[in-house]
């Protein structure tokens, strides 16, 4: 069935509702981290609407809180968000060859893990207005949730804010546990990453390195070794 742009946009909004609801809850706890880093509600909202990346923003807020410089921040954002380059390349194969560049840039900016997952299963060619529909409802929810998290964090007592901050750890546990249960390699890499992070924070030789730079080093080294030692075969990736 062939949809016009308006129909694709409405369909995108409809399929983006579950994404938006999830983003609203997750970005609220992300707002607590932004508040701890000293950001105002407007600053946190600006970070969310321009970045739209949970792991990237969380790491960025930690870098800000640690007082790291712009170079560390830039390297951190590039490393953590590099996967979106691969997602963009993959999704570009589903776009019409004559699609204007402005549409490709907008789609690339609005790619998240969830939007990519939904858009990648669309049969045949992908209409950009389908992505715009998902973006139109999910990105505002992500932005509002972050701002509300910061605002609430400024009102609530400190011990309550600290308790809400635990939600971030729950968010990352929800991300790593399901694939870790299915794949022992992933579970092992997660355990190694946690142990290596703890070791680097206490060993005298490397403990003086800022937390942001330690995260960059661990991400590049562990991910690089895993990619070489446990490559994903093409047929496995397609399943």
């Amino acid at each position: 069935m062939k949809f016009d742009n308006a129909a694709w946009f409405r369909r995108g909004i409809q399929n983006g509702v579950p994404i938006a609801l999830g983003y609203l809850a997750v970005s609220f706890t992300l707002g607590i981290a932004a508040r701890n880093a000293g950001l105002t509600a407007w600053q946190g909202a600006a970070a969310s609407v321009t970045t739209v990346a949970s792991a990237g923003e969380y790491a960025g807020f930690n870098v800000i809180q640690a007082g790291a410089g712009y170079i560390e921040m830039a390297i951190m954002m590039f490393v953590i968000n590099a996967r979106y380059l691969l997602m963009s390349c993959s999704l570009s194969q589903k776009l019409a060859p004559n699609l204007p560049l402005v549409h490709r840039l907008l789609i690339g900016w609005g790619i998240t893990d969830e939007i990519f997952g939904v858009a990648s299963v669309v049969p045949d060619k992908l209409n950009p207005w389908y992505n715009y529909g998902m973006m139109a409802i999910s990105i505002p929810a992500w932005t509002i949730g972050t701002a509300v998290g910061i605002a609430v964090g400024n009102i609530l007592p400190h011990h309550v804010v600290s308790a809400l901050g635990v939600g971030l750890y729950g968010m990352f546990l929800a991300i790593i546990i399901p694939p870790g249960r299915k794949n022992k390699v992933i579970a092992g890499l997660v355990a190694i990453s946690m142990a290596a992070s703890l070791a680097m924070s206490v060993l005298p030789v490397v403990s003086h390195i800022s937390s942001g730079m330690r995260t960059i080093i661990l991400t590049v080294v562990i991910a690089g070794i895993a990619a070489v030692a446990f490559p994903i075969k093409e047929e496995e990736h397609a399943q």
Side-chain angles (χ1 to χ4, degrees):
M1 181 177 182
K2 187 176 180 180
F3 293 84
D4 58 19
N5 292 339
W8 275 111
F9 186 79
R10 291 192 298 268
R11 187 181 179 189
I13 291 178
Q14 180 181 0
N15 292 347
V17 169
I19 298 176
L21 293 176
Y23 282 0
L24 195 63
V26 171
S27 61
F28 178 85
T29 56
L30 186 67
I32 300 298
R35 182 262 184 191
N36 293 336
L39 273 69
T40 65
W42 287 109
Q43 291 171 333
S48 283
V49 76
T50 54
T51 307
V52 200
S54 57
E57 287 185 53
Y58 177 67
F61 295 150
N62 278 343
V63 171
I64 293 173
Q65 189 173 6
Y70 291 118
I71 294 178
E72 289 186 26
M73 173 68 78
I75 296 175
M76 171 72 75
M77 291 297 102
F78 177 79
V79 171
I80 293 181
N81 295 324
R83 70 186 187 278
Y84 295 122
L85 297 176
L86 300 177
M87 293 182 187
S88 298
C89 291
S90 174
L91 213 55
S92 68
Q93 305 304 308
K94 294 182 64 66
L95 300 175
N98 60 345
L99 187 70
L101 178 62
V102 62
H103 286 293
R104 296 178 182 273
L105 293 176
L106 287 173
I107 292 174
W109 167 71
I111 284 182
T112 65
D113 296 339
E114 293 76 17
I115 290 178
F116 170 77
V118 175
S120 62
V121 298
V122 172
D124 301 323
K125 292 297 181 180
L126 175 66
N127 189 306
W129 288 94
Y130 181 57
N131 276 48
Y132 298 158
M134 290 188 286
M135 291 161 57
I137 191 171
S138 61
I139 293 179
W142 180 255
T143 305
I144 293 171
T146 304
V148 171
I150 297 174
V152 171
N154 289 328
I155 298 173
L156 295 177
H158 178 72
H159 65 276
V160 176
V161 174
S162 298
L164 289 174
V166 177
L168 284 169
Y169 297 98
M171 177 186 72
F172 284 107
L173 287 174
I175 293 174
I176 64 177
I177 287 179
R181 294 179 63 181
K182 296 179 181 178
N183 192 316
K184 293 182 179 179
V185 172
I186 294 178
L189 291 173
V190 170
I192 292 173
S193 301
M194 295 172 64
S197 179
L198 176 61
M200 288 193 69
S201 66
V202 297
L203 291 176
V205 179
V206 292
S207 60
H208 67 280
I209 302 176
S210 67
S211 60
M213 187 57 68
R214 290 201 302 265
T215 302
I216 294 172
I217 294 172
L218 288 173
T219 301
V220 173
V221 172
I222 295 177
I225 293 175
V228 174
F230 307 103
I232 298 178
K233 295 180 180 180
E234 194 68 29
E235 56 270 18
E236 293 179 0
H237 183 70
Q239 289 177 354

